[in-house]
Amino acid sequence: MRNAITLALLLLPAALAAQTPGSPDARARAYFEEGTAHFDAGRALDAQAAFSAGYELSGKPGFLWNMAECARVLGNRDRAVELYRQYVAKAPGGAQRPLAEARLR
């Protein structure tokens, strides 16, 4: 138990640094929230721009899924297919993988 607490204390500064307001992770999270708000409001083009910015900062494959959904809603089939394929390749265990594969069919 003591080792687990020691490990947690050693990792805490890194975890806190990753979430500081100016950190890339924090900025990517802000882009995710912005993109989600735009998408929910029916502004897929603005959402796509925010998700793209978040992906550039973080490289997290969830942004690829979000960008693919935006491209699909905007009627850009080729771009959506490209992004779904990238998502499937980069997130083999991703939560949206089954739906991405279904959209690719």
Side-chain angles (χ1 to χ4, degrees):
M1 178 72 167
R2 186 166 191 249
N3 288 338
I5 292 171
T6 302
L7 180 61
L9 290 174
L10 289 173
L11 296 176
L12 184 60
L16 291 176
Q19 293 302 317
T20 59
S23 74
D25 282 347
R27 292 191 337 255
R29 180 76 175 152
Y31 280 123
F32 169 77
E33 291 170 2
E34 177 185 338
T36 300
H38 284 309
F39 191 83
D40 290 346
R43 297 184 302 267
L45 192 58
D46 292 330
Q48 190 170 35
F51 292 140
S52 179
Y55 182 69
E56 289 298 317
L57 282 171
S58 71
K60 293 183 179 177
F63 283 109
L64 294 169
W65 164 259
N66 293 329
M67 291 187 296
E69 286 292 282
C70 291
R72 181 183 62 81
V73 167
L74 291 166
N76 190 342
R77 183 186 181 283
D78 292 340
R79 179 71 174 144
V81 166
E82 174 188 336
L83 290 164
Y84 287 130
R85 286 183 178 149
Q86 287 180 34
Y87 172 76
V88 167
K90 291 188 181 202
Q96 301 300 333
R97 184 184 176 110
L99 187 52
E101 289 174 337
R103 295 233 199 279
L104 286 167
R105 286 191 284 274

